[in-house]
Amino acid sequence: MARLFNKLTIRELAKMQAVRYTNKADHWSVIRKKKTHMDKALKHFDEFYGNVYGKSWKDIRTALLMETHKYMAVVNSFSDIDRIKSELETHGAMNLKTIYETYKVYLDEYTPNKKKKRKKQTRDKQVESTIADAQVSAIDSHYLSDYTSSSVSLNSMNEDEDTVVESQALKPIEMKSIESNLNEIMVDENRIVYSNTGLSGLYEFVPATKIKGMEDWILESQHYGYYKEGADFSTKIEKEVILTFPQYLNIYTFEEDNDSKFPSPKKGSTGVLDYYLLDGASVLPTLALDLQPGDVVLDMCAAPGGKTLSILQTFMPRTLVANDISKSRVKRIHNVINQFVAGIGQWHDRLHVTEQDARFIDDKDTYNKILVDVPCTTDRHVLHSEDNNMFKPQRIRERLQIPELQAAILTNALKIISVGGTVVYSTCSLSPIQNDGVVGMALKKVWEDTNSIMIVKDMREALKPLSCLYKFHDFALKYGHIVIPTLGNNWGPMYFCKIMRIR
C-alpha cells in the first residue's frame, strides 16, 4: 500500500513540474519569443531599404513605425461645400490648392542668385510667414484670385540639393550587375520564382536569400544593394512645369509638424458624409492625371475607393469606371459610393463599378485617362497589422510575384489607353523593384508588342511648390517620383509615374 502511494505521489509531482514549466500560448514569455508577420516585414525592410536609402532609412523607418498617421480631407462636393470648407478652416486646416498657388507665385519670381545669399534660418522664418499668409487667404476666400507674392523660399531647398537635382535626377545611373558581385555573394537561383507570362525579365531584380523554412523567403535582400535597369531600353522624358488643381477638388491639410486630427465627418443636408480622409500622399496620383472636362476615366484597381471618390469630386469625367478584381473589393467601392455619392446628381449614368482582372480589360481606345494604383507590399500596413499581412507564410508566392502582376497590369493599361491619353502608375511601396523597375519593364514590353510610343513626364518642376509638405526622394529614380514618410508629415510612401501615349 505504501509503495502504491509513493508511485502515485511521484506521478503527481511529475505532472506538477510539467505544468509549472509549460507556459500557455498567451503567456508573456511565449509572446515575447513569438515572431510576428510584422516583425518579419520590418526585418525585410531593414535589410533591403537600409541598403537602398542609406542614411535616410533610419528616419523613414521611424516615421513608418509611428502609430499616428497623417491624413488629408477631401471635401465632398455632393454635400454642403461652403459650410464644410469653413469648418475645416476654423480647425486650422488649409486648402492644398491655396498652398500650391502661394508657393508657385513665389517660385516664378525666384532667382538662383538671391537664393545663394539667404541663410537657412531666414528661409525657415519666411516659410512660416508664407504658411500663415496662406491660412489667412484661405479663410478670407475659398479660391485664391488676387494674391500678391511675398519673398519666401522653400524650407526643403538648399544649394547642394539643387545641384544634385539638376545634374542627376531622373537620369540613369551606373549600377553593378548581380554577375559582377558573384565573388561576394552566393545566389541560389532555384529559389527564384520565374514568370510564365513573358515578363520574366523582372526577376533580374527579384532574388531570394537564405531559407529557414518557407516563411523566410524574401523578395529582395541586402546582397542586392545595386539596382540594375533591365535591358538597354530608353524612353523619351519631357518636363511638366505645373500641377493642375481642378476647380471643385478641395483638399485640406495641416502644415508640417502639426499633427492635429480632423473630426469624424458628419452627414450634411444632402444625406452624405462631409469629407473623406485619406493618406496625404494619395492625392498626388489623382492630381497627376490632369483631369479635364469630358474625360473618360478608368480606375483599374479602385478599392477601397478613395481615389475614385477624389476623381468624382472634380465633376470632370464624362464617364468614370471603377474596377477591381473580386466581389469583396468591389463591395468596398460600393460602400464608399453609398456613403458619399448615393442618390446625388446624374452619376448613376456616368459612374460604373466593374469586377474584372485588370490584366485582361480589353476596352481598347475607350479611355483617355487611366489610374493604375496596383496591389503592392503596402509597406506601412504590414508594419502595423497582422490581418491580411503580405508577409504571412501563406502569401509567400503571392509576394514574390507582385512585380510580375504589377507589370502585367501596367502593360495592359498602356496598351488600351487612347493615343494622347495619360496613364498614372502608383504604389504605396518604397521598393525600386515595384516602382521604377515595373515601369521600365512595362514600357519595354509595350514597345515590343505594339510599337507604341510613350513619353514619361518629369514632374519635378510641377511638384516643387509642394516641397513644404512632401519630401520627394529622387534616389536612383529614372521614371517616377516618390514621397517618403517624415516625422513632420507622416504620410506615404507613395510612388507615382505619369506616362502619355503619343502613338
Side-chain angles (χ1 to χ4, degrees), residues 151-273:
S151 180
V152 292
S153 173
L154 295 178
N155 62 350
S156 63
M157 298 174 63
N158 57 49
E159 294 84 354
D160 294 336
E161 289 176 341
D162 285 339
T163 302
V164 173
V165 167
E166 291 297 327
S167 61
Q168 296 180 4
L170 286 171
K171 294 180 180 179
I173 63 175
E174 183 178 355
M175 293 296 180
K176 296 182 179 179
S177 66
I178 292 174
E179 290 80 4
S180 67
N181 284 275
L182 288 178
N183 291 331
E184 300 176 17
I185 58 177
M186 295 299 293
V187 183
D188 185 354
E189 296 181 346
N190 293 325
R191 287 184 269 111
I192 302 176
V193 178
Y194 291 94
S195 167
N196 56 6
T197 58
L199 295 176
S200 59
L202 275 176
Y203 290 92
E204 292 178 31
F205 315 122
V206 189
T209 60
K210 60 185 178 181
I211 290 183
K212 295 180 182 177
M214 290 289 289
E215 70 276 8
D216 284 330
W217 277 28
I218 61 175
L219 186 61
E220 306 99 343
S221 88
Q222 62 182 358
H223 302 300
Y224 293 85
Y226 302 103
Y227 178 60
K228 179 176 178 290
E229 281 295 337
D232 55 355
F233 185 77
S234 61
T235 301
K236 185 177 180 182
I237 296 176
E238 287 187 352
K239 289 187 177 181
E240 186 149 297
V241 297
I242 191 168
L243 191 65
T244 303
F245 281 76
Q247 179 181 359
Y248 296 107
L249 181 60
N250 294 286
I251 305 165
Y252 276 80
T253 182
F254 295 105
E255 69 273 20
E256 186 174 15
D257 295 320
N258 184 347
D259 293 328
S260 299
K261 293 184 178 180
F262 291 99
S264 297
K266 57 186 178 183
K267 289 186 177 181
S269 61
T270 59
V272 292
L273 294 176

Side-chain angles (χ1 to χ4, degrees), residues 272-322:
V272 292
L273 294 176
D274 285 347
Y275 49 82
Y276 184 88
L277 297 177
L278 80 170
D279 184 287
S282 295
V283 303
L284 296 176
T286 301
L287 293 173
L289 278 174
D290 188 19
L291 294 166
Q292 300 296 326
D295 281 343
V296 180
V297 185
L298 169 63
D299 189 351
M300 266 189 156
C301 310
K307 293 182 179 68
T308 293
L309 184 64
S310 299
I311 294 170
L312 278 176
Q313 303 308 315
T314 68
F315 295 128
M316 295 287 194
R318 173 164 54 89
T319 302
L320 171 60
V321 176

